[in-house]
Amino acid sequence: LVAASGGYMMACVADKLLAAPFAYVGSIGVVGGSPNVHKVLERAGVEVVQRTSGRFKRSLQQFEPNTPEGLQKYQEEIDAIHAAFKGHVSTNRPSLDIEAVATGESWLALHALEQGLVDGLCTADAYLRTRSADAAVLLVRAKPPRRTGLAALLSRGVEGAASAAAALAELAGAGRGLASQLSSRLRPSASLAGQGLASGAASGASPTEAPPS
């Protein structure tokens, strides 16, 4: 399980934060980047035309060389997001030494407990079993989205084909049952006919003739 970065941002608002012992927790940091392919384009003789309105509309470049000013601006934007992230965590967990944990590092919950990032170690199953003694535990499932248009048409076609296949399978099963019943009823007749033939052969009579009186 991972509750790091954005996961921890959401989790830290809880009144009590529990984590499985081997969950990954933390990563209070920000990362950003983009590939720059202007040298590849130059070698291929490709020119990219780009125009912006606003001094820092494109602080990080992909098709043109980056500038020191643009890179500095991009770093300032990342730092601003990091400061907001730290403020959010500090507001919800004021006892944390935010500067010690907001380094972008992640810890196993075993060690995150020592840092104060979580309040206890417990798996989800164990927690639910504990709470089931004094509270109702409900299983909630998402309702499947209602299909419309082509999706609904295809769904009905698939469901119809499945129903037809089930009906054919049931019919085939009934046919096998009927054949079995007919076979069991015909066996005594065949046995009697066989006995008649055997009797005729023993008396020397033709199977089609009655023995002489």
Side-chain angles (χ1 to χ4, degrees), residues 89-116:
V89 175
S90 294
T91 299
N92 290 283
R93 297 188 70 83
S95 62
L96 267 179
D97 181 354
I98 192 64
E99 295 304 325
V101 298
T103 59
E105 297 172 81
S106 297
W107 294 270
L108 286 174
L110 289 165
H111 305 136
L113 181 61
E114 301 168 3
Q115 300 278 1

Side-chain angles (χ1 to χ4, degrees), residues 31-49:
V31 62
S34 176
N36 186 292
V37 297
H38 82 277
K39 292 182 179 180
V40 176
L41 296 176
E42 283 178 1
R43 287 196 295 269
V46 177
E47 179 185 5
V48 176
V49 177

